[in-house]
Amino acid sequence: MAFIVFEGIDGAGKSSLMNALETALMQRGQQCLRSREPGGTPLGEELREILLRTEGATPVARAEALLYQVIRAQHVEEKIRPALKENRWVLCDRFTASSIAFQAGGRAISKEEIDWLNRFSTNNLAVDLFVLLDLATEEAAERVQKRYDDNGGKKDRFELEKQDFHQRVRDTYLQLAKEAPQKWLILDASQPTENMLKTLLQRLEKEKCL
Ligand code: TYD
């Protein structure tokens, strides 16, 4: 049992790897909660709309940072802690590291301030492993574009950010992962999902989570 968070720039392919891990865990008879941020609870899903929409009022950078933390506090207390208490795996699409990468790295709020907010909103809940799906910003942008070409819909507020924003986000993730290799697994997201899954399962076995 473990709390695993999937991180990366938009378009890195978190969902496919999460699907693959969820299936592998179910085949091993493990129970798991699959969740996401922004979202995860009814309040979180409502605030997600506000954060991602491209029309209507837009939060300034510090308001944006706080809204993500509101969502997180609700998510941790209502969903994540109860699941961990029941010995279920928690697989979460984005968590505290997204706030560091996007709000500190992307929007230039200090990392120390975001760290403090993350500790407050999670009440110091520890993540067992952050999985970083690392991909060049150009390739990620192409994947996002293809998703919209194939499925329609409109890009969200972050997907519309320029490449230098996404480059800062990517660099911040890589920095975080290099500073704490015991907490992070960096995967080259240009590989097929099955290769990434294999590396991830090996790491989970090594950490005695499986
Ligand atoms: P998400 O829907 O997971 O986007 P994607 O499917 O492309 O991964 O997340 C929406 C956006 O919210 C994403 O661009 C990253 C951003 N975000 C932050 O800026 N800060 C945060 O703390 C979180 C959780 C997400």
Side-chain angles (χ1 to χ4, degrees), residues 49-75:
E49 296 278 312
I50 294 175
L51 278 162
L52 300 185
R53 68 188 180 192
T54 51
E55 281 147 20
T58 309
V60 296
R62 281 170 185 268
E64 177 186 281
L66 290 172
L67 284 168
Y68 280 108
Q69 301 295 343
V70 173
I71 292 171
R72 188 158 300 135
Q74 194 78 15
H75 191 201

Side-chain angles (χ1 to χ4, degrees), residues 7-70:
E7 296 277 1
I9 56 174
D10 295 322
K14 291 176 276 104
S15 307
S16 311
L17 182 58
M18 290 181 75
N19 290 342
L21 178 62
E22 195 177 9
T23 306
L25 289 174
M26 275 166 23
Q27 282 166 352
R28 288 167 167 78
Q30 305 279 326
Q31 302 275 347
C32 91
L33 167 73
R34 166 102 178 244
S35 200
R36 69 169 179 182
E37 284 192 9
T41 66
L43 178 70
E45 292 294 333
E46 280 186 44
L47 291 171
R48 177 185 173 93
E49 296 278 312
I50 294 175
L51 278 162
L52 300 185
R53 68 188 180 192
T54 51
E55 281 147 20
T58 309
V60 296
R62 281 170 185 268
E64 177 186 281
L66 290 172
L67 284 168
Y68 280 108
Q69 301 295 343
V70 173

Side-chain angles (χ1 to χ4, degrees), residues 3 5-7 37 68-69 72 76 80 92-104 114-115 117-127 130 173 176 184:
F3 177 17
V5 172
F6 295 78
E7 296 277 1
E37 284 192 9
Y68 280 108
Q69 301 295 343
R72 188 158 300 135
V76 166
I80 301 177
C92 193
D93 187 339
R94 303 192 179 284
F95 196 59
T96 44
S98 279
S99 287
I100 306 216
F102 285 79
Q103 279 67 54
I114 301 292
D115 271 336
L117 289 170
N118 276 335
R119 284 198 299 276
F120 179 82
S121 64
T122 62
N123 204 355
N124 295 306
L125 178 65
V127 171
F130 287 99
Y173 272 131
L176 278 178
W184 283 82

